[in-house]
Amino acid sequence: MIILITGASHTGKTLLAQRMLEKYKYPYLSIDHLKMGLIRSGNTNLTPEDDDELTDYLWPIVREIMKTAIENAQTLIVEGCYIPADWRQDFDEIYLGQIRFICLAMSEEYIEEHFDEIIGHESEIETRLVKEDCTMDDLKRCNRWFIDAFGDAGEKVVLITDNFDVFFQGL
């Protein structure tokens, strides 16, 4: 089984994967780690800021890792933002039956009310070595993109509107 977690920046994708690892002992693959390994090793000239190009570059690799895990009856959590909204088209039904999909996004109101708290938790699991100049408008734009793109693709988006911690209770 694959648990595929995507969503906007700062929504808790890595925190969710880490909590699932701790509770269920399922290993997880951070697409950000894969990205940085490929960038730092010189296997690509892309930079961490090349979001669309990184999705095109990373998705075929991640997709085939997922298929391999399914074929080997292995459970794997895959988390990161480099998942195309139409990801399902790359899998036959045999694979889709083994993939659980989670897309996280925050409402604009939540971002407005909790912006400082959101930024305060940005290194909760992974230490961000590069200080992002993440603005409230950036977060709103990124979250809106995930809500629209994945919603238009027919995917359910878990919208964080009130209490962020409620989502993680029970894990």
Side-chain angles (χ1 to χ4, degrees), residues 5-61:
I5 304 169
T6 194
S9 178
H10 292 78
T11 54
K13 299 178 297 291
T14 307
L15 178 61
L16 177 57
Q18 182 67 35
R19 295 253 177 104
M20 293 176 92
L21 165 72
E22 291 168 2
K23 181 170 184 172
Y24 302 111
K25 310 300 185 221
Y26 300 154
Y28 77 86
L29 169 67
S30 166
I31 301 173
D32 279 343
H33 290 175
L34 177 61
K35 167 189 78 176
M36 292 311 299
L38 291 165
I39 290 171
R40 288 179 172 173
S41 67
N43 282 290
T44 181
N45 292 323
L46 296 172
T47 71
E49 290 77 35
D50 297 325
D51 287 335
D52 291 338
E53 295 88 350
L54 281 164
T55 298
D56 293 342
Y57 181 71
L58 294 169
W59 178 242
I61 299 166

Side-chain angles (χ1 to χ4, degrees), residues 22-127:
E22 291 168 2
K23 181 170 184 172
Y24 302 111
K25 310 300 185 221
Y26 300 154
Y28 77 86
L29 169 67
S30 166
I31 301 173
D32 279 343
H33 290 175
L34 177 61
K35 167 189 78 176
M36 292 311 299
L38 291 165
I39 290 171
R40 288 179 172 173
S41 67
N43 282 290
T44 181
N45 292 323
L46 296 172
T47 71
E49 290 77 35
D50 297 325
D51 287 335
D52 291 338
E53 295 88 350
L54 281 164
T55 298
D56 293 342
Y57 181 71
L58 294 169
W59 178 242
I61 299 166
V62 171
R63 175 190 70 217
E64 298 308 316
I65 290 170
M66 291 170 57
K67 288 179 181 177
T68 301
I70 291 168
E71 291 161 358
N72 287 295
Q74 296 171 311
T75 299
L76 179 65
I77 301 164
V78 177
E79 68 88 12
C81 62
Y82 303 105
I83 308 296
D86 62 353
W87 67 272
R88 288 183 188 271
Q89 75 177 7
D90 293 329
F91 296 94
D92 295 333
E93 285 301 318
I94 190 92
Y95 294 107
L96 287 173
Q98 295 296 312
I99 300 172
R100 304 298 173 259
F101 178 74
I102 302 168
C103 180
L104 303 175
M106 296 177 278
S107 70
E108 286 192 17
E109 295 79 13
Y110 184 85
I111 294 168
E112 289 170 0
E113 293 174 17
H114 299 276
F115 180 73
D116 291 337
E117 183 181 347
I118 293 165
I119 298 303
H121 288 285
E122 69 183 0
S123 291
E124 188 88 9
I125 299 297
E126 296 176 323
T127 302

